[in-house]
Amino acid sequence: MSKPIVAIVGRPNVGKSTLFNTLAGERISIVKDTPGVTRDRIYAEVSWLDKNFTMIDTGGIEPESKDIILSQMREQAQIAIDTADVIMFIVDVRQGLQDADSKVADMLRRSKKPVVLVVNKVDDFNKMMADVYEFYNLGIGDPHPVSASGKLGLGDMLDEVISHFPEGAGEEEEDDRPKIAVIGKPNVGKSSLINKLSNEDRSIVSNIAGTTRDSIDTNVRYNKKDYLFVDTAGIRRKSKVKEDIERYSIIRAVAAVEKADVVVIMIDATEGVTEQDAKIAGIAHDRGKGIIIAVNKWDAIEKDNKTMKKHTEEIRDVLSFMPYAEILFISVKSGQRLNKLFELIDVVMENNAMRVQTGVLNEIVTEAVAMQQPPTDKGKRLKIFYVTQVAVKPPTFVIFVNDRNLMHFSYTRYLENRIRDTFGFQGTALKFIIRERKEGK
């Protein structure tokens, strides 16, 4: 059930971040008047009418000169072409049609991907339409006038965006093979793992960060069962800039996670677990996917009887937000424990789609409440009326209470741990929705 991906491309200062934040419904990236300050949130969930999609901001450009702006925009456009289902190309009515816009439009047109041309900063639709029409010259279809800051014209623009989604996007697919995404920092051995499992060099593996070429999903047969390893389009990068490579590896991870049931997060045993690993892992956790942490290059580590324990503690510490994730120490090179990977994928898939009977669930919660009283606030105590599971992938529970404000995060975590004690749910996040119900209903 993969959500469509919509990528935003455009020159500096045309209002990409403002539009991104307006659509994402919260100010999640820092918008300043200096170009290229959009940091952190690269992707967001957006819903329009009955469609949900993932929006990706392909990046800020630090303009040193017109040439650099153009080459960076080409890179962004390439990423958008590689990873997105629909591309939003943002231009600025006040700056008018620029040379760089035309060159990028040529690239987008050749890609045959659907492009929605968005003309931003149109504060007055009556007076400025003549300036908007100038952008017909780009040859990529009708310009859609909007004002991101004034929230004008966004509905028509979103109607156009979702009209390009593939039929049935976001609906259950017929293909019932488990879909596995392998994500992680550059050079951690993602392509080598898939090559090793499929015994053929599908991806060209080399030691330059970010050199995996086009997206090819790989079918791997193990124990008479098919597994589909989803690849994300290779981003053809020559950038030496660390931030750039990081940003692109995150964009690729978002695209891969979106398509997968189970996510294998690869960590380099020789480097240990890093902040960048935590960022990439956070994407899979946010999406409620089944998660396996594969620690690669385990053969290259000097070991004694405490090594594995020490590494496990370190991983649990940095990735403390996903204590449920399964950890597996592997070596792609020697093939160590790769067969165990398939066993874990099966277990995690099963847990991610597990349903628990309401009766049993409520017994456990009642018992948990008896063992540890719910919190009180100003003499008012939290009451839990009823719990029921409403969805799978990830398993999602609704808890009906007398007052939502009394339901502290720590108490939800306590109930989650009790539910996990009983049913396991290894390798999958659980989601809890707290709803209020008046007494006696």
Side-chain angles (χ1 to χ4, degrees):
M1 203 167 101
S2 89
K3 284 196 206 83
I5 291 179
V6 177
I8 295 182
V9 177
R11 275 181 305 107
N13 287 347
V14 294
K16 295 196 295 291
S17 306
T18 314
L19 185 63
F20 182 86
N21 292 333
T22 301
L23 296 179
E26 45 185 320
R27 293 179 60 78
I28 42 185
S29 43
I30 315 138
V31 184
K32 294 213 183 98
D33 292 336
T34 35
V37 198
T38 317
R39 283 286 173 269
D40 295 321
R41 278 311 287 265
I42 293 174
Y43 63 94
E45 293 291 294
V46 181
S47 306
W48 179 246
L49 304 177
D50 56 345
K51 297 275 194 287
N52 298 314
F53 60 91
T54 299
M55 181 172 53
I56 293 181
D57 183 358
T58 54
I61 301 168
E62 306 288 350
E64 291 163 44
S65 69
K66 284 193 168 152
D67 299 346
I68 289 191
I69 288 184
L70 184 59
S71 74
Q72 287 254 346
M73 274 188 72
R74 283 197 168 124
E75 300 243 312
Q76 286 183 9
Q78 191 57 58
I79 291 165
I81 290 165
D82 284 344
T83 51
D85 298 298
V86 181
I87 298 162
M88 287 170 70
F89 182 32
I90 319 292
V91 293
D92 179 345
V93 76
R94 294 185 199 157
Q95 296 175 28
L97 185 53
Q98 306 271 326
D99 190 37
D101 293 331
S102 307
K103 293 201 161 99
V104 171
D106 290 342
M107 250 182 98
L108 295 175
R109 190 169 51 239
R110 280 197 301 274
S111 78
K112 302 280 190 282
K113 283 266 171 114
V115 179
V116 177
L117 175 59
V118 180
V119 184
N120 192 18
K121 304 188 187 174
V122 182
D123 304 323
D124 184 329
F125 279 35
N126 298 332
K127 289 190 180 136
M128 300 170 96
M129 279 325 268
D131 299 328
V132 170
Y133 292 144
E134 178 193 6
F135 291 95
Y136 269 111
N137 293 322
L138 289 173
I140 49 173
D142 299 339
H144 292 268
V146 303
S147 164
S149 58
K151 299 188 169 55
L152 301 172
L154 302 180
D156 290 349
M157 172 194 79
L158 287 169
D159 286 346
E160 179 65 23
V161 169
I162 66 174
S163 73
H164 294 288
F165 289 168
E167 269 304 302
E171 291 167 19
E172 284 291 343
E173 289 157 38
E174 287 304 298
D175 189 343
D176 54 5
R177 289 176 292 182
K179 293 177 196 55
I180 299 105
V182 182
I183 65 176
K185 289 185 311 203
N187 281 350
V188 63
K190 300 187 291 287
S191 305
S192 314
L193 172 67
I194 294 173
N195 289 343
K196 183 94 175 190
L197 296 177
S198 58
N199 298 327
E200 51 180 308
D201 272 0
R202 291 298 278 280
S203 325
I204 308 151
V205 182
S206 71
N207 287 331
I208 315 151
T211 48
T212 315
R213 280 283 188 270
D214 297 294
S215 161
I216 310 169
D217 292 348
T218 309
N219 189 66
V220 177
R221 205 169 168 77
Y222 179 80
N223 257 350
K224 301 187 179 145
K225 190 173 165 187
D226 286 323
Y227 298 82
L228 193 67
F229 282 80
V230 298
D231 185 15
T232 42
I235 288 167
R236 304 166 186 72
R237 309 247 342 117
K238 293 189 187 64
S239 174
K240 300 288 181 288
V241 189
K242 184 167 166 282
E243 285 75 35
D244 273 8
I245 290 182
E246 281 195 1
R247 184 180 196 97
Y248 298 130
S249 60
I250 287 179
I251 287 177
R252 287 183 57 177
V254 172
V257 166
E258 212 53 89
K259 286 160 63 176
D261 302 308
V262 174
V263 177
V264 175
I265 297 160
M266 275 186 101
I267 289 173
D268 185 328
T270 58
E271 279 183 26
V273 62
T274 64
E275 277 303 298
Q276 173 72 355
D277 292 321
K279 262 189 200 163
I280 291 177
I283 296 166
H285 170 73
D286 265 3
R287 290 293 188 281
K289 301 290 181 175
I291 296 177
I292 297 166
I293 298 164
V295 186
N296 188 23
K297 307 184 188 174
W298 193 238
D299 53 326
I301 296 281
E302 292 279 318
K303 295 181 208 45
D304 59 30
N305 55 2
K306 294 201 179 69
T307 316
M308 199 175 265
K309 186 169 181 282
K310 194 173 133 287
H311 271 263
T312 302
E313 281 168 4
E314 209 173 90
I315 291 167
R316 292 287 182 219
D317 188 42
V318 177
L319 305 180
S320 57
F321 54 88
M322 43 172 35
Y324 55 83
E326 291 284 349
I327 299 178
L328 182 64
F329 294 89
I330 62 170
S331 162
V332 171
K333 207 170 175 180
S334 72
Q336 183 185 8
R337 290 203 197 86
L338 293 187
N339 55 341
K340 186 93 177 85
L341 185 61
F342 291 101
E343 289 167 34
L344 268 185
I345 287 170
D346 289 346
V347 169
V348 169
M349 282 277 298
E350 211 169 290
N351 288 335
N352 191 241
M354 178 154 72
R355 283 188 187 276
V356 175
Q357 286 178 324
T358 302
V360 186
L361 192 59
N362 282 284
E363 272 170 39
I364 287 149
V365 171
T366 308
E367 200 173 295
V369 169
M371 280 164 58
Q372 188 173 323
Q373 284 288 319
T376 55
D377 187 25
K378 300 190 183 70
K380 188 175 184 191
R381 187 178 293 282
L382 170 73
K383 275 192 184 157
I384 293 175
F385 297 124
Y386 187 72
V387 186
T388 182
Q389 183 176 352
V390 291
V392 294
K393 293 187 175 183
T396 305
F397 303 91
V398 174
I399 303 180
F400 290 99
V401 298
N402 57 339
D403 185 347
R404 279 181 62 169
N405 301 327
L406 291 173
M407 187 71 169
H408 295 247
F409 169 73
S410 57
Y411 201 73
T412 308
R413 173 61 61 82
Y414 163 70
L415 293 178
E416 173 175 343
N417 290 339
R418 293 296 73 78
I419 290 171
R420 284 185 184 280
D421 290 346
T422 314
F423 302 105
F425 280 120
Q426 289 108 315
T428 178
L430 301 181
K431 205 168 144 196
F432 290 89
I433 299 163
I434 314 301
R435 291 256 164 84
E436 259 179 43
R437 222 174 69 178
K438 292 291 163 265
E439 306 257 352
K441 281 194 182 171

